[in-house]
Amino acid sequence: MDGYDLVDVEVTHRDAEDLLSDSTDADGHRHTVQAARLRAGQTDTGLHSLAQLDGESVKLLEHQVDAAHRALFEMNGKALLADEVGLGKTIEVGMILKEMAYRDTDGSVLILTPAQLAKQWQAELREKFGLQFICNYDDEFDGFDAHSHIIASIDTAKSDRYRTEVLARNWDVLVLDEAHYVKNEETDRYDLIDQITYDYAFFLTATPIQNELTDLYNIISLLRPGLFGTRDVFDQYFVDTSQETLVNRNELQERLGKVMIRNKRAETDIDFTDRIIDTRTFEPSTKERALYDAVSDYVRGAYAQNQGQKLVLMLLQKEVVSSPWALERTIQRRLDEQASLDGTEELQGILDQLDAIEAVTKEERLLDIVEEARERVEMGRVIVFTQFRATQDALLERLAADGYTTHAFHGGHSSEEKEAIVEAFEANGGVLVSTDAMNEGRNLQFCNIMVNYDLPWNPMKVEQRIGRIHRIGQKREVYVFNMALKGTIEEYVLERLYHKIDLFQQTVGELSSILTRLEESGTSFEDEIFNRLVNAGSEVDLENDFDAMAVDLQEQRELAAKVEQFNSGVFEGFDLGDSDD
């Protein structure tokens, strides 16, 4: 781009758009003539700020540096960063914002993320790039008109309380994480982004196409209005009526090349470590088996009488394979609520069976894993995941009694407490027992052993757990231990579903494609599992039902693979960029 005037480039860009559309629907956004500010006072387009970064805090990879450079200087400061999962899109944005701070073009910056990732963004930008942002979850946050550098949940920004403040301001920079969440123009999120005014914008998503090519059209039309003309023209010009093949492919790729950067894992120099899965199923004791059967019978009977109880009954079915302590709390609460209703006798019987259990099989077997880690792994670090606070409390008590250094992590901790817990785990080692609150974008590459003490029925949650340790920066093989009791719903989910779709070797993006297609009927993955459990007439029926579900999942996986092939056709030609620099 050196030697070209950015205004002239934009005029040429708009002339090309006019071939498809007589107008550019760019209301609410400034023309990218403001991108000239990026070059003000500079005789070249180098990333000068990189020299200021501490190599100990952040290791910049070639594809990340290239993406940041192209987004700033070849795309006029408006780009869709669409790298595959795990390639460091946040790092790319960090480099972009660092360079903009160096050039004094970041007077006001708004970063919108899913709620669970806001604090992660704040920490990464501060620790790796020295960039200070306030988060809407901080006590010091006084609104969107009171700070110059803000990270916020997109749902907070679109809320009635803050929407007017957000839209009243012209932002120098807008960053939108997980941009595929705004693919639907009928949503409040889409409407918010459509109305925000900004000079520069950087959208991030690993899955720019989830179901059809128009997903991509909607996202890019927010970022660069008019690039593809109207939607009708876009559909007629680039996609056949079946949505399965492209037409005018070369022109589509040329236009995407103006705004989108996509790096793929297979084509980078990153050497991801292996992921080793160790599934351990255990025979429950006689008393544990009797308890499981009693709870399952109660759940089936109660659901047949009142399907409105579905959520609490599903909870009971999950708790019984997690621990007696988790189950006890829910049973006691249910007894208190139903003191005068039928069915309390059955619940009291379950409570009596709970009291009779003296040893918990999974707890004993967990000690085998953590003891082996204490002997063979640096500082004996292990992360143990459970869905239930009562199970967490019991495991922490038992581990501490056996002499292990322990750490608890759950949603009840403040952001500052969570940071301190992770730091203590890294510094002191031992065993961190966490609920799924740890899914909130935490990076724990310093640990390479993880235990699923109980298994979420949603495979996305399992992959998100694994993703805490299996990511860029992990230098060792990652070991994932899955624990399940034989002959329970947990074993069915693990053996008949997760292993049959190779869950543990897939990425979040691939799983998202499978589950999105499966759930288009309106039934969630967890609902499907529960329905099969309560409606099965016998053990054989249950096995057959889960086998049938595995076949359905495999079909969805094949459809997802076809979508990926389609995507590859769209993205082909600029996966690693065509920069001459």
Side-chain angles (χ1 to χ4, degrees), residues 90-149:
T90 308
I91 298 297
E92 293 168 1
V93 170
M95 281 189 277
I96 289 169
L97 295 178
K98 186 72 174 178
E99 186 66 22
M100 296 187 79
Y102 178 89
R103 295 169 184 263
D104 196 26
T105 54
D106 69 334
S108 59
V109 182
L110 176 63
I111 301 177
L112 298 178
T113 78
Q116 68 272 20
L117 297 182
K119 296 298 290 185
Q120 170 75 14
W121 268 89
Q122 184 186 40
E124 285 210 20
L125 292 177
R126 179 182 66 248
E127 295 164 7
K128 296 179 179 178
F129 298 96
L131 298 172
Q132 300 298 326
F133 279 78
I134 194 163
C135 176
N136 69 285
Y137 297 112
D138 293 339
D139 292 338
E140 301 79 10
F141 180 71
D142 291 323
F144 288 86
D145 54 1
H147 311 278
S148 59
H149 293 74

Side-chain angles (χ1 to χ4, degrees), residues 282-548:
F282 312 106
E283 196 66 50
S285 67
T286 302
K287 291 179 179 178
E288 286 175 323
R289 167 59 64 190
L291 176 65
Y292 177 82
D293 290 342
V295 170
S296 298
D297 289 344
Y298 173 78
V299 167
R300 289 190 185 96
Y303 185 68
Q305 293 177 6
N306 180 7
Q307 296 187 5
Q309 308 177 79
K310 185 172 188 175
L311 290 179
V312 69
L313 296 176
M314 192 183 293
L315 180 65
L316 290 172
Q317 198 70 55
K318 292 177 180 179
E319 288 175 333
V320 70
V321 291
S322 177
S323 74
W325 312 287
L327 181 63
E328 184 176 23
R329 289 187 184 180
T330 304
I331 291 291
Q332 188 59 62
R333 190 182 308 119
R334 197 161 172 81
L335 271 171
D336 294 342
E337 293 170 352
Q338 297 186 347
S340 60
L341 301 178
D342 293 338
T344 53
E345 227 176 85
E346 196 174 358
L347 287 171
Q348 187 59 55
I350 291 173
L351 206 56
D352 293 341
Q353 287 180 284
L354 275 167
D355 293 338
I357 293 178
E358 298 166 354
V360 178
T361 300
K362 283 170 70 174
E363 183 185 74
E364 298 299 325
R365 300 288 73 81
L366 174 66
L367 293 173
D368 296 339
I369 296 172
V370 297
E371 179 59 30
E372 187 176 354
R374 181 158 64 176
E375 294 174 357
R376 301 178 58 180
V377 178
E378 178 189 7
M379 303 183 76
R381 291 195 194 94
V382 179
I383 300 174
V384 179
F385 275 104
T386 176
Q387 299 172 83
F388 305 106
R389 287 281 296 274
T391 301
Q392 180 188 41
D393 292 342
L395 293 179
L396 287 165
E397 182 179 344
R398 175 62 187 274
L399 289 164
D402 280 24
Y404 291 94
T405 300
T406 60
H407 314 269
F409 189 107
H410 54 70
H413 292 124
S414 68
S415 298
E416 292 75 16
E417 287 171 333
K418 289 177 179 177
E419 295 293 338
I421 291 164
V422 171
E423 289 172 5
F425 179 46
E426 182 174 11
N428 304 322
V431 184
L432 185 149
V433 183
S434 177
T435 66
D436 284 323
M438 180 63 77
N439 284 353
E440 297 179 354
R442 299 283 162 177
N443 299 328
L444 294 98
Q445 297 93 318
F446 56 83
C447 179
N448 70 318
I449 299 180
M450 195 196 85
V451 179
N452 287 310
Y453 188 82
D454 47 49
L455 279 164
W457 292 358
N458 186 332
M460 284 291 288
K461 292 183 179 179
V462 181
E463 178 56 36
Q464 287 165 353
R465 289 178 174 183
I466 298 172
R468 298 309 99 225
I469 62 175
H470 198 211
R471 55 199 302 116
I472 288 179
Q474 178 58 261
K475 297 178 173 60
R476 296 164 293 177
E477 293 177 325
V478 167
Y479 291 85
V480 178
F481 294 90
N482 299 311
M483 305 182 72
L485 293 176
K486 291 182 179 177
T488 66
I489 187 66
E490 204 167 38
E491 185 188 25
Y492 287 123
V493 171
L494 183 60
E495 297 290 352
R496 296 184 179 273
L497 296 184
Y498 288 179
H499 283 298
K500 287 192 177 184
I501 63 170
D502 295 330
L503 162 73
F504 298 104
Q505 302 304 330
Q506 292 181 60
T507 66
V508 171
E510 291 166 333
L511 285 172
S512 177
S513 296
I514 294 171
L515 296 182
T516 296
R517 292 177 171 277
L518 182 71
E519 295 180 0
E520 282 178 352
S521 64
T523 301
S524 75
F525 194 90
E526 293 194 351
D527 286 340
E528 189 74 16
I529 289 173
F530 183 76
N531 290 339
R532 291 173 188 272
L533 173 71
V534 295
N535 292 320
S538 66
E539 188 96 359
V540 173
D541 287 345
L542 189 59
E543 290 181 8
N544 291 337
D545 286 347
F546 272 85
D547 282 340

Side-chain angles (χ1 to χ4, degrees), residues 268-288:
T268 66
D269 294 330
I270 304 170
D271 185 18
F272 286 94
T273 60
D274 291 336
R275 178 187 295 188
I276 299 167
I277 307 300
D278 187 337
T279 295
R280 302 189 177 186
T281 55
F282 312 106
E283 196 66 50
S285 67
T286 302
K287 291 179 179 178
E288 286 175 323

